[in-house]
Amino acid sequence: MGTAVTIRGMSEDDLRGVFLLGEEVFGADPNGTWNADSLAALLGRCLENSLVALRGRRIAGFVIPEAGPGSSARVRWMAWRPGDEIAVASPLIEALMELLSSRRITSLQVTADSNNPQLIAIFKKYGFTESKQLLMMEHFFPSD
């Protein structure tokens, strides 16, 4: 998809671009899980380990991990535009693993949709293994 991608640490100046890309990928819903307030609060805790992928000066992807107990972390948000799995996702994952390793993080957890075999294959390429099945349940209340 064009220009080479560079990866760097996320800064506060990236917040708008990250938010807009998130809206593009996850959908725009001010009451949903992806909203400006929750992103700002999350980055208040997680900015130092977060990364952006740039294509020129435009944000092409990002990853926001959160430190967990002990020497663990989990990816809270990770996004790129459709079609950028190899050009953006792979360098982001590599850079994230290198960054977290340098900070003595020994375990990284990601959650991937089981209906996305391409994403699962990318994670497996970097040594991730499937450890849990996530069961999501819904209950629809009758309308009166």
Side-chain angles (χ1 to χ4, degrees):
M1 286 195 115
T3 314
V5 171
T6 57
I7 308 295
R8 68 162 170 76
M10 189 181 293
S11 73
E12 290 180 10
D13 293 338
D14 297 320
L15 182 59
R16 179 164 172 70
V18 167
F19 179 71
L20 292 174
L21 177 57
E23 274 193 333
E24 184 180 325
V25 173
F26 306 125
D29 179 1
N31 298 315
T33 57
W34 183 260
N35 63 64
D37 292 336
S38 64
L39 177 61
L42 178 63
L43 288 175
R45 300 187 312 268
C46 305
L47 186 62
E48 71 177 330
N49 292 324
S50 298
L51 301 171
V52 291
L54 300 171
R55 196 173 260 127
R57 293 187 345 198
R58 184 176 182 206
I59 292 178
F62 62 86
V63 59
I64 305 170
E66 184 170 37
S71 58
S72 69
R74 72 182 174 116
V75 172
R76 292 290 305 269
W77 292 100
M78 186 174 196
W80 50 84
R81 289 179 181 82
D84 269 346
E85 288 81 2
I86 302 302
V88 175
S90 290
L92 269 175
I93 293 168
E94 288 175 12
L96 178 63
M97 292 174 66
E98 185 176 316
L99 173 68
L100 295 179
S101 177
S102 75
R103 297 192 174 160
R104 302 198 186 278
I105 300 292
T106 60
S107 172
L108 178 61
Q109 179 186 32
V110 297
T111 302
D113 186 340
S114 62
N115 294 321
N116 191 339
Q118 186 176 21
L119 180 59
I120 292 169
I122 291 170
F123 284 128
K124 285 183 174 182
K125 172 183 167 187
Y126 292 100
F128 286 82
T129 58
E130 294 179 50
S131 62
K132 294 181 186 176
Q133 294 290 330
L134 179 63
L135 176 62
M136 297 190 70
M137 300 174 70
E138 289 182 294
H139 176 74
F140 294 97
F141 296 97
S143 58
D144 294 334

